[in-house]
Amino acid sequence: MKPVGKVLCATGIVAGLLAFFWKDPFNPESLSGARVLLTGASAGIGEQMAYRYARFGAEIVLTARREAVLQKVVEKCLTLGAKKIFYIPADMSSPSEPEKVVQFAVQKLASFQRTAVKEEQLSFQFYPREAGKAVPRWTYFVYLHGGLDYLVLNHIGMTRFQMWAGDVEYTRWLMQVNFFSYVALATAALPTLEKNKGSLVVVSSLTGKIPTPFTTSYSATKFALDGFFSSLRHELNMQKRNVSVTLCILGLIDTDTALENTRCVFAGGCRSLGGSVSAGTCSVLKACKKCTTVCKMVCVSVWMCKKINGKSASAWVHHRGCACPPRHET
C-alpha cells in the first residue's frame, strides 16, 4: 500500500473509533423550560425544530410570515409538550420587524422571580422601634426577569435558483431577508442572551462555503452569514461575553421547498444553456443535448435521483441524461 493510502486508512480507522466511543454530552433535560425564539417556523426545517423543542418542554416564540400556518404549528407544539408557546407574524424584509420580534419574545418569555432581602441591606431603611432598637425585617421583591436563552435564526426569502440575470433589486431584497435581518435580530437579542448565558444558532448552507451555479444571490447571503457570525464569535470570545455562536452548515434537505427549487434548476438550467425543454423526466433530459452540466451537479446520488424524478439513478444513466458513474446505479 502506498504511503498516502496508509495515511487515509489510518485516518479512517481513528475516525471510526472516535465515532464509536464518542458520548454525546447533550442532556435533553437542559431544554426543559428553556426560552427559545425560532424564526422561519412555519414550514420545513424551522417547523421540525419547533416540534423538537416542544417535545423537550421548552418555552417557545415562533415567527414567520404566514399567520395561518404558524397557528397550526403552535397547536401541534402544545400537543407535543411545549410549556409555553407564542407566535408573532413578521416579514423580515421590513427593517423594523427584527427588533419588534425580539422585544415580543423577551416580554412573553419573561419570568417573575421573588427575592428576599433584609431591610438593613437596603439604602432606604425603615425599621420599627422596639425599646429604642431597630429590628431588621425581610422584604420581598418581585421582579421581571427578561427571557431568552436561545435565538435560532432559520428564515430565508424566496430563492430563485437560476442563472444570474442581473436583477440587483432582488439580490438587495434577499440580502435584507437572509442576512441583514439576521444581524438585526442577533444585535437586539445579544444583551438578553449575555445576561442569561444563552446561545445564538444560525442556520446556514453549504452554498455559503462552496460556490455553486444557479445560486448567485442566495450563495452571497450565506457567505455573508458565515463571515459575520464567525467574526462575531471571535469578538465575543475576546470580550469574554458568555454567548455561544453556532453556525449550522446544511446541505440539501428534502423539504418541499428545496425539492421544488431543485426541479426548477432543471427547467431553468436547460433553457439558459440553450435547451428548449421544460425538463421533467429522464427521457426529456435526453432530448436536451446541452444540459449535461446541470445533470452532473444535481444527480449526485441515488437518493437525489429518486427524489427529483421518482426514478432510479440507473434510468438516468441509461437515458444518457447525466454522467453519474455506474456505482450510483440501483
Side-chain angles (χ1 to χ4, degrees):
M1 185 183 292
K2 293 181 179 180
V4 175
K6 291 180 180 179
V7 171
L8 289 174
C9 184
T11 304
I13 293 171
V14 171
L17 289 171
L18 284 173
F20 183 78
F21 290 106
W22 177 264
K23 290 185 178 179
D24 188 354
F26 172 67
N27 178 15
E29 293 181 3
S30 66
L31 288 177
S32 178
R35 297 161 297 180
V36 182
L37 169 57
L38 172 61
T39 71
S42 61
I45 297 170
E47 180 186 359
Q48 295 306 315
M49 283 196 289
Y51 298 152
R52 183 68 64 177
Y53 277 117
R55 288 189 183 96
F56 288 138
E59 301 176 7
I60 316 166
V61 170
L62 305 179
T63 185
R65 286 184 301 108
R66 299 175 295 171
E67 183 172 5
V69 183
L70 267 179
Q71 289 174 340
K72 292 180 181 178
V73 176
V74 166
E75 290 170 6
K76 185 169 181 180
C77 284
L78 286 171
T79 65
L80 291 174
K83 287 189 177 178
K84 293 181 187 176
I85 187 158
F86 308 92
Y87 74 90
I88 174 172
D91 183 354
M92 293 301 170
S93 66
S94 170
S96 63
E97 292 287 87
E99 188 173 355
K100 190 188 303 181
V101 167
V102 171
Q103 288 176 352
F104 176 87
V106 170
Q107 290 170 3
K108 289 296 184 181
L109 299 178
S111 59
F112 290 96
Q113 294 190 0
R114 192 166 180 260
T115 302
V117 181
K118 279 188 178 181
E119 285 187 350
E120 62 189 17
Q121 296 173 341
L122 303 176
S123 58
F124 50 94
Q125 297 178 0
F126 298 94
Y127 296 154
R129 296 285 174 176
E130 285 186 15
K133 295 182 180 180
V135 180
R137 296 185 305 181
W138 288 94
T139 299
Y140 291 92
F141 291 89
V142 178
Y143 66 96
L144 198 62
H145 183 62
L148 201 59
D149 300 308
Y150 293 88
L151 173 61
V152 185
L153 303 175
N154 168 72
H155 61 279
I156 58 171
M158 183 187 71
T159 304
R160 302 174 187 170
F161 287 92
Q162 61 184 32
M163 289 283 193
W164 172 247
D167 193 343
V168 177
E169 283 305 312
Y170 165 73
T171 303
R172 206 172 268 130
W173 174 84
L174 196 64
M175 285 294 289
Q176 168 59 38
V177 177
N178 287 12
F179 174 63
F180 289 120
S181 67
Y182 277 55
V183 174
L185 284 159
T187 301
L190 267 176
T192 305
L193 290 173
E194 183 178 7
K195 194 178 297 182
N196 298 328
K197 299 179 181 179
S199 298
L200 173 59
V201 181
V202 179
V203 178
S204 188
S205 166
L206 198 59
T207 59
K209 292 286 190 182
I210 304 171
T212 57
F214 312 112
T215 63
T216 45
S217 299
Y218 179 76
S219 184
T221 66
K222 296 304 180 180
F223 267 91
L225 283 180
D226 190 278
F228 180 86
F229 285 101
S230 295
S231 295
L232 180 63
R233 183 194 294 119
H234 287 301
E235 292 180 7
L236 292 173
N237 286 336
M238 289 167 65
Q239 298 170 43
K240 296 187 176 4
R241 297 174 67 180
N242 211 338
V243 179
S244 70
V245 178
T246 302
L247 268 164
C248 305
I249 310 300
L250 307 182
L252 182 65
I253 309 297
D254 61 340
T255 61
D256 292 338
T257 303
L259 291 175
E260 184 59 35
N261 284 332
T262 309
R263 290 188 191 99
C264 290
V265 168
F266 282 97
C270 286
R271 293 194 185 98
S272 60
L273 289 169
S276 59
V277 298
S278 58
T281 64
C282 293
S283 57
V284 173
L285 283 169
K286 178 186 174 185
C288 182
K289 303 296 183 182
K290 296 186 178 181
C291 72
T292 310
T293 306
V294 180
C295 294
K296 283 181 181 177
M297 184 191 73
V298 179
C299 185
V300 292
S301 68
V302 172
W303 172 86
M304 180 59 67
C305 289
K306 288 179 177 178
K307 281 289 182 183
I308 299 304
N309 261 4
K311 297 193 177 187
S312 69
S314 59
W316 290 69
V317 176
H318 294 159
H319 282 127
R320 297 179 183 176
C322 72
C324 287
R327 66 173 178 274
H328 286 311
E329 295 189 13
T330 56

